[in-house]
Amino acid sequence: MLFSIYDAAVVCCFLQYRKWDLHSLKLQPLSPVPSDIEISRAQSPKAVDVLAKEIGLLTDEIEIYGQTKAKVRLSLLERLKDQPDGKYVLVAGITPTPLGEGKSTVTVGLVQALTAHLNINSFACLRQPSQGPTFGVKGGAAGGGYAQVIPMEEFNLHLTGDIHAITAANNLLAAAIDARILHENTQSDKSLYNRLVPVVNGVRGFSAIQLARLRRLGINKTDPKTLTEEEISKFVRLDIDPSTITWQRVVDTNDRFLRRITVGQANTEKGFVRQAQFDIAVASEIMAILALTTSLQDMKERLGRMVVANDKKGQPVTAEDLGVTGALAVLMKDAIKPTLMQTLEGTPVFVHAGPFANIAHGNSSVLADKIALKLVGEKGFVVTEAGFGADIGMEKFFNIKCRASGLVPSVVVLVATVRALKMHGGGPNVTAGAPLKKEYTEENLQLVADGCCNLQKQIQITQLFGVPVVVALNVFKTDSPAEIDLVCKIAKESGAFDAVPCHHWSAGGKGAVKLAQAVEKAANQKNSFKYLYSLELPIVEKIRIIAQKVYGAQDIELSPAAQSQVDRYTRQGFGNLPICMAKTHLSLSHQPERKGVPTGFILPISDVRASIGAGFIYPLVGTMSTMPGLPTRPCFYDIDLDPITEQVKGLF
């Protein structure tokens, strides 16, 4: 392979740590702060190939999508395998209001401060937003104000098509399940065998994936003519029990009417009718696999291990059994590469994977983090974000993502707002789309003090894992100096390494310099990272530890259906997997209306599912839905396209 002089120089430089020669984009913050899309549009991003060179990527390690996005090839990991990793920082938060408290904004503001203002190599690693919330209630997820990923409309919409690839792969597998049941129900063993192993150009042979299935069945034959009738029957019949199918179709839209559907009503399906449902695309196990995989080979193996149902003898049926693993890998071959973008100040960002934190593990990809850690070098920082509160996204980051990656975090940044603390202190309900009550716009020290119980609890949760925590108070213009000082004082008294007011929303990276300095100091503190539980513990005990130590529950209560599933997964050999709780993000408990720090509650486990390819057991707490619905006035009312300029309007 031929390298340019530039590429050869980069290879030499990366044998030792080097500071990037990165040209930062200048900000000129306005007051009042314009809308997010106006700010994004006012900044001219660097060409992505220029950014790639600045951070040490070789020309053959990027695949450019337009002017501002590029896929990064995994071959980079092999080239930089001897490069020491940088510091690893997780951004989590307190229990949020329905409006969100700005974790993405803090993540972006922090890396802008580190790189553009302190001249420290740093990378943000963010999740790709689902179009469900973008057109539903939340709007975009590119950060906000003067701490954004740009261009924000590209970030928030199709990006490089990863979610579409996941949707295609997921639904191909769903179609394969129902089709296989239909064909087995309507054909003899001989007819199935002739169609599954046809004669092509006078030759009859098994495909590679069929040979693998034969080996799993204990049939060590390669010539289709030599199988006995009994062996043919074992080979062609999966005998899927339709009542045990757990694999659902997905779409990346909030559509409540797909929560329960009937499939197979056409006459051509010969009476095979069953109840099913759609999930939102980011809830697909394939999304979780994308976020946790470490290589193309690992992803392919994980896709094959996905359990979609049980057979009539109670044994698991996998994607590999259905013969679809290779096709799924083909659909996902580009999605596995992280997408390179930039912040408003021209610092690098990886956008990759987008599982929700309340119904999945809620973190961006292991691969994006690993590549970024190599690119920043041992004195640099990689800042990644976990969804929702620390009790949900952070707990899963430590117990699931860190187990998959083998990476150890250096610092946790815990995001809080005065608004959310007032809610936890007994303030009125906060509703998306409705004006805030005066309690949230006027000084009220008592509400703030009372609500700090939630902040203190989230600090305690972080300390369970032995990692230093810095509290980032995301300051709003209605926050008074006395309220800001009170929160920082209580946070430090409660065990935070530091607590810093942050003004990145209104000032960009300059407004987060003190946070960046605090994070740099905390990263040099003693780190005694540990997992919350041993994987060897029984499934129920692992659930109980999370419920009691993290959520503060008195105990757990499993429904008969949940207990039956636990027993089944244990029998099938899946008992040693970590736990991914599906729980509301609006409370430490299972009841969204219970704010602050609820105690004395029994956590109800209504069902337990298994994502074997992703590698976790998935208990459902209470009545969790895996398909959001649209509100009365969705965000799409404000989204439009100018047919002359082709500019998108109304994203925020």
Side-chain angles (χ1 to χ4, degrees):
M1 185 181 294
L2 294 176
F3 291 127
S4 67
I5 294 173
Y6 157 76
D7 289 343
V10 167
V11 172
C12 291
C13 282
F14 266 105
L15 295 177
Q16 57 185 7
Y17 173 77
R18 71 175 183 102
K19 285 192 175 182
W20 295 333
D21 183 17
L22 187 139
H23 169 67
S24 299
L25 303 178
K26 300 304 178 189
L27 285 181
Q28 294 180 318
L30 301 176
S31 183
V33 176
S35 72
D36 290 352
I37 200 161
E38 288 173 316
I39 293 171
S40 173
R41 228 164 247 154
Q43 185 66 288
S44 297
K46 291 180 279 193
V48 72
D49 59 329
V50 172
L51 174 63
K53 285 183 180 180
E54 289 177 340
I55 62 174
L57 287 163
L58 305 183
T59 52
D60 69 341
E61 289 173 341
I62 59 170
E63 299 170 2
I64 295 174
Y65 284 63
Q67 297 297 311
T68 56
K69 306 183 297 291
K71 286 284 193 182
V72 175
R73 293 177 177 160
L74 307 188
S75 58
L76 172 71
L77 285 170
E78 177 62 25
R79 175 170 68 87
L80 298 182
K81 64 183 178 183
D82 297 324
Q83 168 95 321
D85 287 348
K87 302 287 188 183
Y88 195 29
V89 179
L90 175 71
V91 176
I94 65 170
T95 305
T97 69
L99 308 177
E101 308 318 308
K103 290 190 309 300
S104 299
T105 311
V106 169
T107 301
V108 175
L110 176 54
V111 294
Q112 288 180 180
L114 284 164
T115 301
H117 296 268
L118 297 179
N119 196 27
I120 298 171
N121 296 356
S122 76
F123 234 109
C125 292
L126 297 174
R127 290 173 292 165
Q128 179 184 355
S130 163
Q131 289 180 30
T134 298
F135 290 99
V137 68
K138 186 181 177 187
Y146 288 99
Q148 291 188 55
V149 180
I150 57 172
M152 65 94 78
E153 58 267 51
E154 294 187 26
F155 176 94
N156 284 313
L157 296 175
H158 303 284
L159 198 64
T160 47
D162 294 355
I163 293 179
H164 300 312
I166 288 163
T167 302
N170 184 102
N171 292 344
L172 175 62
L173 179 52
I177 296 165
D178 286 325
R180 185 61 177 260
I181 294 172
L182 171 70
H183 293 313
E184 287 189 24
N185 284 346
T186 56
Q187 296 180 51
S188 66
D189 290 352
K190 181 180 178 182
S191 180
L192 280 169
Y193 193 56
N194 287 338
R195 285 178 169 86
L196 286 169
V197 193
V199 176
V200 179
N201 296 325
V203 178
R204 191 178 199 186
F206 295 114
S207 68
I209 201 165
Q210 289 176 327
L211 288 170
R213 172 163 167 75
L214 286 169
R215 288 193 294 271
R216 289 196 305 279
L217 292 171
I219 303 170
N220 297 309
K221 296 179 180 179
T222 58
D223 184 350
K225 298 174 186 173
T226 61
L227 266 66
T228 65
E229 288 187 5
E230 182 183 357
E231 289 170 338
I232 287 173
S233 183
K234 283 175 68 176
F235 171 72
V236 300
R237 297 216 173 264
L238 297 180
D239 274 333
I240 295 170
D241 179 352
S243 69
T244 68
I245 295 172
T246 54
W247 195 263
Q248 310 297 347
R249 290 166 172 84
V250 300
V251 64
D252 197 33
T253 304
N254 289 4
D255 191 345
R256 65 176 68 245
F257 282 88
L258 294 178
R259 289 171 178 168
R260 182 64 60 198
I261 61 169
T262 303
V263 297
Q265 294 193 70
N267 291 336
T268 49
E269 275 49 76
K270 306 182 191 306
F272 173 55
V273 177
R274 69 179 182 91
Q275 292 285 306
Q277 68 185 62
F278 270 77
D279 294 337
I280 194 158
V282 293
S284 170
E285 183 176 352
I286 297 176
M287 174 62 88
I289 287 172
L290 178 66
L292 291 170
T293 193
T294 55
S295 68
L296 198 53
Q297 181 62 35
D298 177 63
M299 182 179 73
K300 189 175 176 183
E301 291 170 2
R302 286 173 178 268
L303 291 170
R305 289 199 301 267
M306 294 187 300
V307 173
V308 300
N310 292 317
D311 65 21
K312 290 170 183 174
K313 295 178 181 176
Q315 294 304 305
V317 177
T318 66
E320 185 80 3
D321 292 325
L322 283 155
V324 75
T325 306
L328 300 181
V330 167
L331 287 170
M332 293 295 294
K333 72 180 180 66
D334 293 317
I336 196 174
K337 303 164 192 170
T339 299
L340 177 66
M341 295 187 75
Q342 64 194 281
T343 69
L344 278 165
E345 297 191 54
T347 67
V349 178
F350 274 141
V351 187
H352 201 214
F356 284 173
N358 54 350
I359 56 177
H361 72 285
N363 286 268
S364 63
S365 79
V366 166
L367 279 169
D369 291 356
K370 286 194 165 192
I371 293 171
L373 285 163
K374 294 299 183 187
L375 287 170
V376 298
E378 62 182 329
K379 295 179 183 176
F381 285 80
V382 170
V383 184
T384 190
E385 177 205 346
F388 297 128
D391 57 302
I392 297 186
M394 185 192 73
E395 181 270 314
K396 295 170 182 176
F397 172 85
F398 287 139
N399 285 319
I400 298 174
K401 185 176 180 181
C402 288
R403 288 188 203 265
S405 69
L407 299 173
V408 175
S410 309
V411 186
V412 169
V413 174
L414 190 64
V415 178
T417 62
V418 167
R419 175 180 69 193
L421 293 171
K422 286 180 174 179
M423 178 191 72
H424 289 297
N429 286 340
V430 176
T431 306
L436 289 170
K437 301 287 176 56
K438 65 180 179 61
E439 286 86 350
Y440 295 105
T441 57
E442 299 174 2
E443 182 176 278
N444 191 321
L445 295 175
Q446 190 60 55
L447 274 183
V448 173
D450 291 345
C452 276
C453 61
N454 188 271
L455 173 60
Q456 291 168 311
K457 172 65 174 173
Q458 303 285 12
I459 291 171
Q460 290 166 11
I461 294 169
T462 308
Q463 291 171 332
L464 291 172
F465 297 94
V467 180
V469 56
V470 173
V471 171
L473 183 63
N474 193 14
V475 175
F476 290 23
K477 62 183 179 182
T478 53
D479 300 345
S480 75
E483 289 173 332
I484 292 168
D485 291 344
L486 178 61
V487 174
C488 293
K489 176 176 177 291
I490 292 174
K492 287 186 233 184
E493 290 173 351
S494 303
F497 174 80
D498 203 349
V500 185
C502 302
H503 302 272
H504 46 274
W505 182 80
S506 57
K510 183 179 178 182
V513 167
K514 289 184 179 177
L515 173 64
Q517 291 168 334
V519 167
E520 189 179 15
K521 289 178 185 174
N524 292 318
Q525 297 299 299
K526 182 182 177 184
N527 187 324
S528 53
F529 173 67
K530 56 184 178 294
Y531 299 120
L532 185 64
Y533 53 79
S534 165
L535 293 181
E536 306 306 313
L537 290 172
I539 292 172
V540 171
E541 189 56 31
K542 287 181 281 196
I543 297 172
R544 180 175 285 112
I545 287 171
I546 295 170
Q548 293 179 333
K549 292 191 175 181
V550 178
Y551 307 153
Q554 181 180 324
D555 205 349
I556 61 173
E557 183 176 47
L558 274 70
S559 71
Q563 185 61 60
S564 174
Q565 288 291 73
V566 167
D567 294 342
R568 172 177 287 163
Y569 295 141
T570 303
R571 277 197 313 273
Q572 292 175 343
F574 304 140
N576 290 346
L577 294 175
I579 303 298
C580 183
M581 302 287 277
K583 182 186 81 72
T584 179
H585 60 289
L586 296 173
S587 172
L588 285 161
S589 75
H590 59 289
Q591 298 167 300
E593 69 278 5
R594 294 189 69 178
K595 306 302 182 184
V597 182
T599 57
F601 60 93
I602 305 296
L603 193 75
I605 309 299
S606 58
D607 196 6
V608 177
R609 301 174 188 169
S611 293
I612 303 305
F616 51 72
I617 299 293
Y618 166 24
L620 277 73
V621 179
T623 54
M624 279 300 301
S625 174
T626 49
M627 170 56 83
L630 289 172
T632 304
R633 192 187 190 283
C635 295
F636 62 62
Y637 276 89
D638 302 309
I639 297 172
D640 201 359
L641 181 71
D642 186 317
I644 306 300
T645 64
E646 298 186 14
Q647 286 193 334
V648 176
K649 303 175 182 177
L651 283 176
F652 64 93

